[in-house]
């Protein structure tokens, strides 16, 4: 058969004219750049699902009540002008909150733990629905509360929600306990997946990940559903005669899964590692709605990314399997010292910082809140029997020296023994009459807003020679509470671990996560609070800029501009590559999350820069290839 020729005069002339046109276009646009704007579908737009499409979606869920339609903010029942106004319900809401209630707020599908994350933040203004109306004629605005929610109780509920959101180009958010530092659990006009009620929990005596090679050693582990909190996980591990490295959370209201995806630090981290170091396997609904098992053998890239890459960036987690450890007795150490002057407080903090690193090296972990000229220590250490004399002596030495400082009043200075870490959490993270030191469950009436910031400091920064420098930075914080988590050191600082997960490599040098928190009333300007906390963290950030230091993903600073480097260091490029491959439609995007560049603050619209030169060049090559191949 004779081969067809591509040298027809008409085709040659067409090719020459097209090439000339594109060459002129290239030259004329050499320095021009265009932008393209893409957006998620919002309520009221032509693309929004119709009533019958919502009904069809509802029928595919596990129960008729799984889909919550036209969801309104929790406080709507207190607004006389709102269709949902109900004085009895409003009275119940008021009595439930008492200003704030950890457990109650965590269980709500239509509210986060803090009012400002339910609201759209604009310069000098919040658009939302305060739990208590600020004026008699106030209007309850929808704010960031999703108008539709899936109260998930099965994997199929989540699969169908992912399919529906993807097909209709909806904003998709995932909420568990609502404890999040920058409000990633809610979104304007979004479809919400609520995983709070997925409470399955299985203890394994001998767990081996799927797909593992033969002779892979089995380990004790626990598989927890997406709605399990640390209070429940601690109790189950303790009942099984084991210990689990988990979060420090008042009333247990930090979710196990969200904590783990955001790296997760614990008072047991120096002994057993970070949350990512203990995560063995995940069951995940990917952005393409497939259900996959994620572990180091079946999906190594995704396993690396999901551990520390932040949730729900790489998928909606159904459950996570976490390594368990041998139960040990736990010794707590508590201190509370109040100063009568600023000079005294600086002396007390400087004295403490001289001991800081040695206390960590002796095996202690804990927090040392500093507020209102008062320093608190709540520390603990696991041991087979009793802590060594050296372990006790270093912390006791600080307590004794603190007593000699002028102007210091010591209210607490004691050690206590607990049968396990779970016993310590039970006694000190709940409203227990026997609790000592800093009250983790204390709340101030009417403080319904919260902003945070954090920075990871390596041991060189907190060394004794820098004691006064760090102390001055702490005392420079005005109204906020400084809550440093001394959770690094030990196995956290094992350098080879930095390549095993997406957790910020700065963790492998970190001793303390310097966290700052500020609360406010509903009518306080959240923009002012955010700026204050951001400025408060600046001295600590300057001591260890990225990649030497970094930001704890679970206590992020919403005003951090270099959030990629701050949260992930030099691992971000790999995370971005995996994210773009697994979620090409940007279904699961959160603020300051992987691949959120270009999206606005509410992840509604994204601006893409288009270089016309590159576009024209690509068109030219494609046209030439097409014409020559006939």
């Amino acid at each position: 058969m004779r081969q067809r020729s591509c040298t027809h005069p008409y085709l040659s002339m067409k090719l020459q004219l097209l090439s000339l046109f594109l060459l002129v276009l290239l030259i004329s646009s050499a320095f021009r750049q265009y932008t393209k704007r893409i957006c998620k579908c919002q309520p009221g737009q032509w693309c929004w699902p119709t009533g019958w499409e919502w009904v069809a979606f509802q029928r595919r869920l596990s129960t008729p009540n799984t889909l919550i339609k036209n969801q309104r903010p929790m406080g709507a029942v207190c607004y006389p002008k709102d269709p949902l106004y109900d004085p009895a319900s409003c009275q119940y809401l008021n009595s439930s909150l008492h200003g704030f209630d950890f457990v109650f707020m965590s269980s709500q599908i239509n509210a986060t733990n803090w009012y400002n994350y339910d609201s759209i933040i604009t310069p000098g203004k919040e658009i939302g629905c305060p739990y208590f109306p600020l004026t008699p004629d106030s209007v309850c605005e929808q704010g960031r509360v999703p108008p539709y929610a899936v109260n998930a109780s099965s994997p199929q509920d989540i699969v169908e929600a992912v399919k529906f959101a993807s097909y209709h180009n909806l904003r998709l958010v995932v909420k568990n306990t609502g404890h999040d530092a920058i409000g990633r659990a809610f979104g304007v006009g979004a479809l919400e997946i609520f995983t709070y009620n997925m409470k399955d929990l299985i203890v394994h005596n001998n767990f081996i990940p799927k797909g593992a090679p033969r002779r892979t050693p089995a380990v004790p582990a626990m598989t927890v559903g997406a709605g399990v909190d640390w209070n429940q996980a601690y109790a189950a591990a303790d009942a099984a005669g084991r210990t689990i490295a988990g979060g420090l959370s008042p009333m247990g209201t930090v979710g196990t899964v969200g904590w783990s995806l955001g790296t997760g630090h614990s008072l047991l981290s120096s002994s057993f590692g970070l949350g990512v170091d203990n995560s063995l396997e995940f069951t995940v609904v990917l952005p393409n709605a497939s259900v996959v098992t994620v572990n180091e053998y079946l999906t190594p890239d995704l396993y690396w990314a999901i551990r520390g890459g932040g949730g729900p960036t790489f998928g909606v987690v159904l459950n996570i399997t976490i390594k368990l450890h041998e139960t040990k007795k736990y010794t707590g150490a508590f201190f509370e010292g109040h100063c009568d002057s600023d000079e005294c407080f600086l002396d007390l903090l400087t004295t403490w910082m001289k001991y800081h690193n040695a206390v960590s090296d002796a095996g202690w972990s804990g927090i040392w809140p500093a507020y209102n000229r008062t320093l608190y220590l709540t520390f603990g250490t696991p041991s087979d029997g009793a802590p060594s004399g050296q372990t006790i002596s270093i912390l006791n030495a600080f307590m004794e020296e603190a007593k000699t400082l002028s102007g210091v009043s010591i209210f607490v200075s004691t050690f206590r023994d607990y049968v396990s870490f779970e016993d310590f959490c039970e006694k000190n993270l709940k409203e227990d009459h026997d609790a000592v030191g800093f009250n983790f469950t204390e709340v101030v009436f009417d403080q319904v807003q919260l902003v945070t910031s954090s920075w990871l400091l390596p041991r060189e920064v907190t060394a004794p020679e820098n004691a006064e420098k760090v102390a001055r930075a702490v005392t420079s914080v005005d109204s906020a509470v400084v809550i440093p988590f001394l959770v690094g050191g030990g196995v956290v600082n094992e350098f080879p671990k930095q390549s095993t997960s997406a957790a910020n490599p700065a963790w492998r040098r970190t001793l303390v996560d310097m966290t700052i928190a500020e609360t406010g009333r509903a009518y306080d300007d959240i923009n002012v609070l955010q700026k204050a906390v951001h400025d408060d963290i600046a001295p600590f950030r300057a001591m260890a800029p990225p990649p030497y230091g970094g930001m704890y993903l679970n206590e992020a600073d919403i005003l951090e501009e270099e959030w990629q480097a701050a949260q992930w260091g030099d691992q971000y490029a790999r995370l971005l590559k995996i994210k773009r491959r697994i979620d090409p439609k940007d279904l699961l995007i959160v603020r300051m999350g992987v691949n959120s560049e270009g999206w606005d603050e509410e992840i509604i619209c994204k601006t893409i820069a288009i270089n016309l030169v590159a576009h024209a060049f690509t068109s030219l090559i494609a046209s030439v290839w097409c014409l020559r191949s006939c």
Side-chain angles (χ1 to χ4, degrees):
M1 180 181 293
R2 190 172 64 183
Q3 187 175 3
R4 186 174 56 160
S5 172
C6 287
T7 58
H8 193 284
Y10 173 75
L11 289 176
S12 297
M13 181 175 65
K14 184 178 180 181
L15 175 59
Q16 291 171 7
L17 290 174
L18 179 60
S19 300
L20 179 61
F21 169 75
L22 290 174
L23 180 60
V24 172
L25 183 63
L26 275 169
I27 295 172
S28 64
S29 62
F31 300 100
R32 298 175 67 184
Q33 189 168 337
Y34 294 83
T35 59
K36 179 182 178 182
R37 189 171 173 83
I38 59 174
C39 297
K40 298 287 186 181
C41 185
Q42 289 285 289
Q45 296 179 340
W46 66 269
C47 54
W48 190 252
T50 63
W52 71 263
E53 285 175 318
W54 284 110
V55 170
F57 171 49
Q58 184 177 28
R59 289 172 179 168
R60 295 193 294 271
L61 302 177
S62 56
T63 74
N65 296 325
T66 297
L67 178 64
I68 310 299
K69 299 179 180 179
N70 302 312
Q71 175 173 261
R72 294 282 286 138
M74 184 179 70
V77 295
C78 293
Y79 287 73
K81 294 183 178 181
D82 198 276
L84 295 182
Y85 177 62
D86 183 339
S89 297
C90 181
Q91 183 178 8
Y92 174 77
L93 176 62
N94 278 264
S95 62
S96 298
L97 281 175
H98 299 298
F100 183 83
D101 184 294
F102 291 100
V103 177
F104 175 80
M105 295 298 292
S106 294
S107 66
Q108 301 305 296
I109 192 172
N110 58 342
T112 59
N113 274 21
W114 302 96
Y115 159 64
N116 48 299
Y117 301 129
D118 299 358
S119 308
I120 300 171
I121 309 299
T122 59
K125 185 180 179 182
E126 292 177 62
I127 302 173
C129 183
Y131 315 140
F132 315 104
L134 301 182
T135 65
D137 59 348
S138 293
V139 175
C140 174
E141 301 284 357
Q142 187 73 23
R144 303 181 69 248
V145 177
Y148 286 79
V150 174
N151 190 356
S153 60
S154 72
Q156 188 62 24
D157 291 335
I158 296 177
V159 168
E160 293 297 336
V162 168
K163 287 181 179 178
F164 190 78
S166 180
Y167 180 80
H168 292 283
N169 189 32
L170 306 181
R171 172 93 161 92
L172 186 65
V173 296
V174 181
K175 180 184 183 295
N176 182 359
T177 67
H179 177 85
D180 177 77
I182 57 175
R184 286 166 285 206
F186 272 5
V188 175
L191 172 63
E192 170 192 353
I193 297 176
F194 186 57
T195 64
Y196 178 86
N197 295 309
M198 300 183 72
K199 301 287 190 182
D200 292 344
L201 193 155
I202 303 171
V203 174
H204 312 273
N205 291 323
N206 299 285
F207 178 80
I208 299 176
K210 295 178 182 178
R214 293 182 60 185
R215 297 189 179 87
T216 297
V219 297
M222 179 191 296
T223 299
V224 296
V228 174
D229 63 47
W230 281 116
N231 193 36
Q232 297 159 335
Y234 289 144
D238 196 62
R242 298 288 182 178
T243 291
I244 189 168
L248 189 71
S249 56
M251 310 304 288
T253 53
V254 170
T256 54
V257 169
W259 175 89
S260 300
L261 299 180
T263 301
H265 66 54
S266 168
L267 293 196
L268 294 177
S269 285
S270 63
S271 298
F272 303 129
L274 299 167
V276 293
D277 301 326
N278 288 274
S279 303
L280 303 175
E281 189 169 275
F282 304 79
T283 305
V284 183
V285 179
L286 297 182
N288 65 4
S290 62
V291 181
V292 300
T293 297
V294 176
N295 63 40
E296 63 177 308
Y297 307 107
L298 300 177
T299 54
D301 265 8
L302 184 54
Y303 178 65
W304 175 89
I306 203 169
R307 293 184 307 143
T313 298
F314 296 94
V316 183
V317 175
L318 301 177
N319 60 55
I320 176 175
T321 301
I322 305 169
K323 187 176 182 180
L324 295 177
H325 301 273
E326 179 185 353
T327 295
K328 295 185 178 182
K329 294 183 178 180
Y330 201 76
T331 299
F334 306 91
F335 173 87
E336 180 181 343
H338 178 72
C339 283
D340 61 5
S341 67
D342 293 341
E343 293 76 13
C344 166
F345 194 36
L346 178 61
D347 287 345
L348 177 60
L349 287 170
T350 301
T351 301
W352 159 241
M353 290 311 303
K354 291 177 181 177
Y355 288 89
H356 183 273
N357 288 14
V359 167
S360 174
D361 294 340
W364 295 98
S365 293
I367 67 168
W368 48 276
Y371 174 69
N372 194 26
R373 295 180 183 167
T374 303
L375 172 65
Y376 304 85
L377 302 184
T378 297
F379 278 64
T381 183
S383 60
D384 294 323
S388 67
Q390 183 180 3
T391 298
I392 293 291
S393 64
I394 187 65
L395 199 46
N396 191 60
F398 160 71
M399 293 178 179
E400 292 302 313
E401 185 172 346
K403 295 176 183 178
T404 69
L405 299 178
S406 176
V408 178
S409 298
I410 308 298
F411 297 107
V412 177
S413 179
T414 187
F415 295 86
R416 290 194 176 186
D417 293 326
Y418 301 89
V419 296
S420 65
F421 179 62
E422 196 275 339
D423 185 36
F424 167 85
C425 292
E426 181 76 16
K427 296 276 195 326
N428 294 284
L429 299 182
K430 291 189 175 182
E431 295 180 44
D432 192 290
H433 69 278
D434 200 37
V436 293
F438 187 79
N439 189 343
F440 291 93
T441 64
E442 182 181 5
V443 294
V444 180
F445 183 80
D446 205 27
Q447 300 293 297
V448 295
Q449 301 198 81
L450 173 75
V451 292
T452 66
S453 187
S454 67
W455 203 257
L456 308 178
L457 299 181
R459 67 166 49 248
E460 292 81 3
V461 170
T462 55
E465 57 267 27
N466 295 321
E468 184 176 343
K469 181 180 180 181
V470 175
R472 286 191 180 278
V474 173
T475 59
S476 71
V477 177
D478 188 13
S479 60
V481 182
V482 183
I483 312 177
F485 289 83
L486 184 57
V487 290
V491 300
V492 172
N493 291 164
E494 291 177 356
F495 191 74
K497 283 188 169 69
Q498 73 168 346
S499 62
T500 61
S501 74
N504 194 330
W507 272 110
R508 306 310 173 183
R509 295 182 292 268
T510 292
L511 273 195
V512 63
D513 166 27
M514 192 67 66
T515 300
I516 299 176
E518 177 73 283
T519 59
R521 294 157 296 186
Y523 51 79
D524 289 334
D525 188 344
I526 195 65
N527 294 275
V528 174
L529 299 181
Q530 289 175 349
K531 181 64 165 56
V533 169
H534 180 69
D535 291 343
D536 286 338
I537 206 69
F540 302 104
R541 193 186 192 286
M543 295 177 193
Y548 189 48
M551 185 168 64
Y552 180 37
L553 187 61
N554 286 339
E555 301 289 355
D557 183 332
I558 202 168
L559 298 183
E560 171 61 46
E561 294 183 356
E562 297 180 85
W563 52 265
Q564 298 94 330
Q567 293 181 134
W568 294 289
D570 59 8
Q571 310 229 77
Y572 186 72
R574 182 181 175 188
L575 275 170
L576 185 60
K577 183 177 180 181
I578 295 171
K579 169 65 175 175
R580 287 174 172 170
R581 184 179 76 239
I582 205 167
D583 189 12
K585 295 177 66 176
D586 281 5
L587 179 67
L588 294 170
I589 300 291
V590 295
R591 186 171 186 179
M592 292 170 62
V594 179
N595 202 30
S596 63
E597 295 90 344
W599 286 97
D600 58 32
E601 292 184 353
E602 288 299 337
I603 319 297
I604 296 175
C605 291
K606 181 178 183 179
T607 301
I608 303 174
I610 300 175
N611 189 310
L612 192 57
V613 174
H615 178 70
F617 181 74
T618 302
S619 301
L620 173 61
I621 296 299
S623 300
V624 171
W625 178 86
C626 176
L627 289 173
R628 289 204 174 276
S629 59
C630 299

